[in-house]
Amino acid sequence: MAALTLGALGVVFGDIGTSPLYALQTVFTADHHAVHATSADVYGVISLVFWSITMVVSVKYVTFIMRADNGGEGGIMALTALVQRAHVKSAMAKLTLVTLGILGASLFYGDGAITPAISVLSAVEGVKVAVPSLHSMVLPITVGVLSALFAIQRYGTKLVGSLFGPVMALWFGVLALTGIVEIAQHPDVIRALSPSYGARFLVDHGHVAFIALGSVVLAVTGAEALYADMGHFGRRPIRRAWFLLVFPALTLQYLAQGSLILRSPKSVASPFFLLMPSWAQIPMVLLATVATVIASQAVISGAFSVSHQAVQLGFLPRLTIRHTSRREVGQIYAPAINAALFVIVVAIVIGFGSSTALASAYGVAVTGTFILNTILFLAVARLLWHEPRRRIALGALVFLTVELAFFAANLTKIVHGGWLPLAIAAVVFVVLTTWRKGREVVSANRAREEGPLKDFIDALHARELKVTRVPGTAVYLNSNPQTTPLALKANVEHNHVLHERVIIVSIETERVPHVYHADRLTCDELGHSSDGITGLTIRFGFQDAPNVPAMLKLAIRRDLLERSIDLEKASYFLSQITIVPTGARAMNPWRKRLFLLLARNAANPVVYFRLPDDRTVTMGERVSL
């Protein structure tokens, strides 16, 4: 438990743990210093920050939403999978909920592009406080740190994972210690924890308070990571780390920054670094940079994980996924996602130039994700757990009121940069929905081309098809267990050849993260055992690595396949389809072009399914779109 708790510190809390670098600074410097360094304003802002963290993180995520796990996994895609499993009377209602889940995943990518940029940039900007003459080096240093961060992704988080927990433990320890030192000198600031100051600030300041909410939400960015990374550590370690260290350290740090701002109003320019003694500022810049790299690492790893889940659930084409650990299934690397994120993040850093400017773009995607998580969680609580309607209504009233206020406040940022994560999310949403729709159309057309598998087997048995049986074993991958693999059909119709043993492998991706090995395999003789044709269905979870040869070996060990089969000499056959766009109105022409572009860039199925390259044969067919 102690090891898991320490590990959770390094992975789960990096984002929210580095928010003190820029959250209060943004509140007091945004909108031409509309929020002033007066007692009423400072106490009001600290109160709002504290109660926002309490409601959004401690109550909503840690207490409630983390109960909604899908086979131990969390995150917006896991919630979407739960909704898909739920019994919903209205097909339109189910489609709406699934669409909201896709939108939430899209917003996650928008947030994921902003987080590394603002986190690392805000840490490196501490150089301007410690050594003002290095002002011009902030951007080059930031780009260099980000370049190194994305370059090491191919080696996996294991390379530096052992350092993450201790470094973040040191980080939160420093936050708490500097907070205690400042608060001990000015204990009156503790009064800011009263909700009355936050309520009074909202009532007295009207429009200014509403705008300030758009910056206050920066204190809770990263809250969704507690839920998204639940599968790596479990509920208990995350909850322990949050309540025993992270929450107290953040509270002390924000109180201390508020006290400093009251003592020295000019410190709003950089309250985090100015809270440190001068001798500690350079070491703190270094520690903050490492902490923000860790925070960014968690977001990047999350993007890999969400992409992997999206592929398995049918929302993205096959991506090249590399598993960087032999023991930890969740440690993966997606080269295409890594390259795209790197280009976007560096462009954001250069385009905005400072964390203060970038903060205006931060918040819209985060608050949108909060709202969608809440809606899907309430849907799961009602549809799967059968919670009473009055509890669902109470949860919606409490959580959505707070989150809709945050979201509305952040809408004011759209013209100042908030459009950026929304634009990224919109592009991702179009890609996800286009691939899903195109896949449905192509699958339906392909099924018609393939024809029923039962009829094909019956025709072979009745010797209606003239074939020559040749020695050996042929493995045909099949996208639909009810239809004939195109490669098998082509081999019989054009080559008039069939191997002595034929294994038709159908792969199904379940809406759960992992499928136990005992439940992965189902064998079917397909009606005529004398023909030597066997059907094998392999089930994977959306976070499992689809390794077909390994599953065939498991089937032999379980006597589902003949032990005499030599898999080392078996031939694998793939159906390579060429998608031909037609005038059918199932999709808009521009979406057809996008689908074709995605299909052409899909990962090689030989690599994706771990097939032996030297014994895999690809046979092509045309399918209309």
Side-chain angles (χ1 to χ4, degrees):
M1 180 61 65
L4 286 172
T5 302
L6 186 63
L9 279 178
V11 175
V12 177
F13 299 104
D15 192 356
I16 195 170
T18 52
S19 293
L21 283 165
Y22 49 80
L24 284 193
Q25 174 186 339
T26 305
V27 173
F28 285 94
T29 57
D31 199 23
H32 305 290
H33 298 271
V35 180
H36 304 292
T38 62
S39 295
D41 285 16
V42 171
Y43 279 27
V45 168
I46 298 300
S47 177
L48 288 176
V49 167
F50 173 76
W51 286 103
S52 296
I53 295 174
T54 300
M55 290 299 299
V56 174
V57 185
S58 298
V59 178
K60 176 189 160 182
Y61 276 102
V62 177
T63 304
F64 287 103
I65 288 193
M66 286 179 66
R67 293 170 53 205
D69 67 289
N70 184 21
E73 297 291 339
I76 191 74
M77 294 305 294
L79 269 180
T80 304
L82 285 174
V83 167
Q84 287 181 299
R85 284 163 46 190
H87 176 68
V88 184
K89 294 181 180 179
S90 170
M92 181 57 67
K94 190 166 190 176
L95 177 62
T96 300
L97 290 172
V98 172
T99 302
L100 290 178
I102 299 172
L103 180 58
S106 304
L107 288 171
F108 174 83
Y109 284 100
D111 178 30
I114 301 287
T115 297
I118 191 172
S119 297
V120 176
L121 187 55
S122 62
V124 177
E125 283 177 343
V127 170
K128 295 188 295 185
V129 177
V131 188
S133 60
L134 294 179
H135 179 279
S136 61
M137 295 299 296
V138 168
L139 284 184
I141 293 174
T142 300
V143 172
V145 170
L146 289 169
S147 299
L149 173 63
F150 281 94
I152 66 171
Q153 294 305 310
R154 68 185 63 193
Y155 302 109
T157 54
K158 188 177 181 181
L159 179 67
V160 287
S162 59
L163 297 175
F164 283 10
V167 169
M168 292 310 295
L170 174 62
W171 171 259
F172 287 115
V174 171
L175 294 188
L177 179 61
T178 54
I180 291 171
V181 171
E182 174 66 27
I183 295 170
Q185 300 176 32
H186 304 88
D188 287 350
V189 75
I190 296 177
R191 292 184 300 170
L193 298 182
S194 169
S196 62
Y197 287 101
R200 190 177 306 164
F201 178 78
L202 292 174
V203 172
D204 293 344
H205 289 72
H207 175 71
V208 170
F210 179 73
I211 300 299
L213 283 178
S215 299
V216 168
V217 77
L218 297 177
V220 293
T221 56
E224 69 280 0
L226 278 71
Y227 178 49
D229 290 322
M230 185 171 65
H232 296 286
F233 304 99
R235 294 190 195 95
R236 289 179 61 199
I238 293 175
R239 285 174 173 167
R240 286 191 176 194
W242 172 253
F243 285 116
L244 294 179
L245 179 57
V246 180
F247 189 26
L250 291 176
T251 301
L252 291 169
Q253 178 63 205
Y254 284 121
L255 284 171
Q257 289 189 30
S259 174
L260 174 65
I261 291 171
L262 285 175
R263 285 196 298 109
S264 176
K266 292 183 179 180
S267 64
V268 296
S270 184
F272 178 83
F273 287 105
L274 291 173
L275 191 62
M276 311 295 161
S278 57
W279 59 267
Q281 287 175 352
I282 288 294
M284 202 60 201
V285 170
L286 298 176
L287 178 59
T289 301
V290 175
T292 54
V293 166
I294 293 173
S296 303
Q297 173 65 56
V299 173
I300 296 168
S301 299
F304 296 159
S305 180
V306 169
S307 301
H308 187 207
Q309 294 181 39
V311 170
Q312 298 289 63
L313 290 174
F315 296 113
L316 278 177
R318 286 187 302 268
L319 296 173
T320 299
I321 301 290
R322 298 176 187 169
H323 290 260
T324 57
S325 172
R326 294 182 179 179
R327 292 184 298 176
E328 301 296 333
V329 69
Q331 292 188 13
I332 58 176
Y333 168 61
I337 302 299
N338 190 63
L341 266 182
F342 172 67
V343 172
I344 295 171
V345 169
V346 171
I348 289 172
V349 168
I350 296 174
F352 282 83
S354 71
S355 61
T356 302
L358 194 50
S360 63
Y362 206 28
V364 181
V366 175
T367 52
T369 304
F370 285 169
I371 292 171
L372 294 173
N373 266 322
T374 299
I375 293 173
L376 291 177
F377 168 73
L378 294 174
V380 168
R382 176 60 187 164
L383 298 172
L384 288 181
W385 303 344
H386 307 293
E387 292 287 343
R389 286 189 175 89
R390 63 180 181 276
R391 290 187 182 179
I392 302 300
L394 179 61
L397 177 65
V398 173
F399 296 129
L400 289 179
T401 299
V402 174
E403 291 166 354
L404 285 171
F406 280 138
F407 183 72
N410 276 278
L411 290 179
T412 62
K413 298 181 179 181
I414 288 180
V415 296
H416 302 293
W419 57 268
L420 178 62
L422 293 181
I424 296 172
V427 171
V428 174
F429 182 79
V430 169
V431 168
L432 295 178
T433 54
T434 297
W435 179 258
R436 190 184 189 210
K437 177 63 178 176
R439 185 171 173 267
E440 290 174 352
V441 174
V442 169
S443 296
N445 294 339
R446 178 174 180 167
R448 284 193 292 270
E449 292 285 336
E450 292 173 333
L453 179 59
K454 184 179 183 305
D455 293 350
F456 184 83
I457 299 295
D458 289 343
L460 279 175
H461 184 72
R463 303 189 184 279
E464 296 174 8
L465 300 174
K466 303 300 181 181
V467 296
T468 300
R469 303 302 290 259
V470 296
T473 300
V475 179
Y476 290 88
L477 266 64
N478 195 17
S479 60
N480 185 342
Q482 305 302 321
T483 60
T484 310
L486 287 174
L488 174 59
K489 195 173 182 181
N491 216 11
V492 169
E493 292 182 352
H494 300 295
N495 299 329
H496 308 291
V497 168
L498 194 66
H499 287 72
E500 287 180 341
R501 293 188 183 91
V502 174
I503 305 171
I504 300 176
V505 175
S506 299
I507 298 174
E508 296 181 359
T509 301
E510 303 292 334
R511 290 167 180 167
V512 294
H514 305 287
V515 174
Y516 292 109
H517 275 55
D519 302 324
R520 281 193 175 179
L521 300 173
T522 303
C523 191
D524 186 358
E525 292 294 341
L526 299 177
H528 304 286
S529 58
S530 60
D531 291 329
I533 302 176
T534 303
L536 184 69
T537 300
I538 305 177
R539 297 176 180 86
F540 293 107
F542 58 73
Q543 286 200 339
D544 292 325
N547 190 326
V548 171
M551 289 299 99
L552 291 174
K553 292 178 182 178
L554 180 63
I556 291 175
R557 290 199 300 269
R558 292 185 181 172
D559 294 323
L560 296 176
L561 297 175
E562 296 179 27
R563 289 186 175 267
S564 59
I565 293 176
D566 186 359
L567 289 177
E568 299 301 320
K569 296 181 180 178
S571 299
Y572 294 81
F573 290 85
L574 287 174
S575 306
Q576 181 69 44
I577 63 172
T578 300
I579 302 172
V580 182
T582 66
R585 298 181 178 180
M587 295 177 68
N588 290 328
W590 68 267
R591 297 191 80 179
K592 288 185 179 183
R593 289 193 292 270
L594 175 58
F595 179 81
L596 290 172
L597 177 65
L598 293 171
R600 283 195 294 268
N601 288 279
N604 186 343
V606 176
V607 177
Y608 187 79
F609 293 112
R610 310 292 198 273
L611 304 181
D613 188 61
D614 58 337
R615 289 184 284 114
T616 300
V617 179
T618 301
M619 306 187 73
E621 289 288 341
R622 294 163 66 89
V623 176
S624 62
L625 174 60

